[in-house]
């Protein structure tokens, strides 16, 4: 089975990523993806895009392929890659408040909500879990991003139960498994998360959290860990294109 979607990616607009949207699309086509999601950080991120950035997605073509003669990337109505335009919104409080208003979220294809140290002050395990749960109870949020950072400990049993109730999806973040990641205890925490998801039969989605085009669609570390844990592939949403409907706020 091959992953056909990567919904957690960033471009130069994030302020701390290094590839253009076109370079990411080119990489996604090379990896054989069917769905690429652009999920720029919300506006409270240092150097991140202004609200206006998220209100102008209408100018971006959504379906791409390669030109037959030149091989260059072009918008193509019958192309093999669909681009989805969303956000990785910042969770800002234990109330699950996000840094984008509903009037922006309702225009997006999808939304990820994540805790970052520049937007959220770490609390107790109970407080961090409450913030995460309330964030994905937002009707526009389908994915909880990288719930694996030891700087923000979570109660995985409660988190998974609540995610199942809300029909939200928890992310297995490939970049958290990089030994150089700023997040703490990524491997150990993702292991605990996956074991808890198996306990409750809770689906997950892999995200590369790419900040450069070379990482687009490359889930090697996440897939290796899931093989080690014998995590059921039917609980990994990336492999079946039909699952995209569980992750987005639009009708394709």
């Amino acid at each position: 089975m091959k992953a056909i979607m990567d919904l957690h990616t960033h471009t130069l607009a994030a302020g701390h990523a290094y590839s253009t949207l076109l370079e990411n699309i080119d990489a996604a086509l090379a990896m054989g993806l069917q769905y690429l999601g652009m999920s720029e950080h919300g506006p409270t991120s240092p150097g991140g895009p202004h609200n206006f950035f998220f209100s102008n997605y209408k100018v971006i073509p959504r379906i791409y392929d390669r030109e037959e003669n030149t091989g260059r990337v072009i918008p193509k109505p019958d192309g093999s890659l669909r681009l989805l335009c969303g956000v990785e919104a910042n969770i800002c409080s234990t109330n699950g408040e996000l840094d984008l208003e509903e009037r922006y979220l309702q225009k997006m294809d999808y939304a990820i909500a994540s805790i970052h140290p520049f937007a959220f002050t770490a609390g107790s395990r109970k407080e961090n879990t409450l913030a995460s749960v309330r964030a994905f109870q937002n009707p526009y949020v389908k994915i909880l991003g990288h719930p694996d950072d030891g700087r923000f400990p979570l109660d995985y049993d409660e988190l998974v139960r609540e995610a199942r109730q809300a029909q939200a999806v928890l992310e297995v973040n490939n970049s958290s498994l990089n030994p150089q990641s700023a997040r703490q205890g990524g491997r150990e925490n993702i292991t605990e998360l996956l074991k808890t998801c198996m306990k409750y039969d809770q689906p997950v989605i892999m995200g590369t959290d790419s900040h450069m085009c070379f990482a687009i669609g490359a889930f090697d570390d996440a897939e290796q860990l899931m093989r080690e844990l014998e995590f059921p592939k039917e609980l990994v949403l990336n492999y079946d294109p039909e699952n995209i409907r569980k992750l987005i706020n639009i009708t394709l």
Side-chain angles (χ1 to χ4, degrees):
M1 297 177 73
K2 178 177 172 54
I4 53 86
M5 65 179 79
D6 187 0
L7 301 188
H8 193 162
T9 72
H10 300 284
T11 73
L12 286 170
H16 59 279
Y18 302 96
S19 297
T20 65
L21 177 57
L22 185 59
E23 288 168 337
N24 282 1
I25 292 169
D26 185 46
L29 285 167
M31 291 295 287
L33 296 183
Q34 295 179 32
Y35 296 97
L36 171 68
M38 178 176 65
S39 54
E40 300 302 2
H41 289 283
T44 62
S45 306
H50 189 276
N51 291 349
F52 289 170
F53 175 88
F54 300 101
S55 66
N56 200 36
Y57 280 160
K58 59 184 178 292
V59 305
I60 304 176
R62 298 307 184 89
I63 304 178
Y64 295 85
D65 218 319
R66 295 194 187 280
E67 191 173 47
E68 187 172 339
N69 295 330
T70 67
R72 70 187 182 96
V73 175
I74 58 169
K76 192 175 181 182
D78 61 346
S80 62
L81 177 71
R82 177 176 287 273
L83 176 69
L84 298 167
C85 295
V87 63
E88 183 186 11
N90 293 297
I91 300 173
C92 300
S93 72
T94 53
N95 290 325
E97 178 188 1
L98 305 179
D99 61 344
L100 269 181
E101 300 171 28
E102 181 178 341
R103 62 193 176 107
Y104 295 105
L105 293 172
Q106 66 185 1
K107 295 178 181 179
M108 295 185 188
D109 298 337
Y110 71 107
I112 301 170
S114 302
I115 289 178
H116 294 103
F118 50 75
F120 183 85
T121 302
S124 65
R125 187 180 301 272
K126 181 177 180 179
E127 290 170 330
N128 299 335
T129 304
L130 180 62
S132 299
V133 168
R134 287 180 171 170
F136 62 58
Q137 287 174 340
N138 183 310
Y140 299 105
V141 173
K142 305 298 186 186
I143 302 169
L144 183 69
H146 49 73
D148 54 47
D149 191 343
R151 296 175 296 180
F152 306 95
L154 299 169
D155 181 334
Y156 287 126
D157 204 73
E158 180 179 352
L159 186 74
V160 172
R161 289 199 315 268
E162 293 288 348
R164 187 165 181 77
Q165 179 69 25
Q167 296 185 315
V169 179
L170 304 175
E171 182 190 53
V172 176
N173 190 289
N174 197 78
S175 75
S176 295
L177 294 167
N178 185 333
Q180 295 181 316
S181 174
R183 297 174 201 136
Q184 297 176 4
R187 183 178 179 86
E188 294 76 16
N189 292 328
I190 292 174
T191 297
E192 182 181 350
L193 175 66
L194 288 170
K195 288 180 177 179
T196 309
C197 286
M198 283 193 282
K199 175 182 173 182
Y200 289 100
D201 206 33
Q202 166 66 24
V204 300
I205 184 170
M206 298 184 295
T208 60
D209 202 354
S210 301
H211 285 68
M212 196 166 186
C213 59
F214 304 117
I216 298 286
F219 300 107
D220 301 40
D221 293 333
E223 289 179 315
Q224 176 60 36
L225 178 56
M226 287 191 284
R227 282 193 295 269
E228 292 173 11
L229 296 174
E230 298 183 343
F231 190 83
K233 282 201 169 182
E234 59 267 23
L235 291 180
V236 184
L237 299 186
N238 303 71
Y239 298 123
D240 186 347
E242 289 300 312
N243 289 330
I244 195 66
R245 291 172 175 78
K246 302 175 182 178
L247 302 165
I248 59 176
N249 297 314
I250 59 170
T251 301
L252 295 179

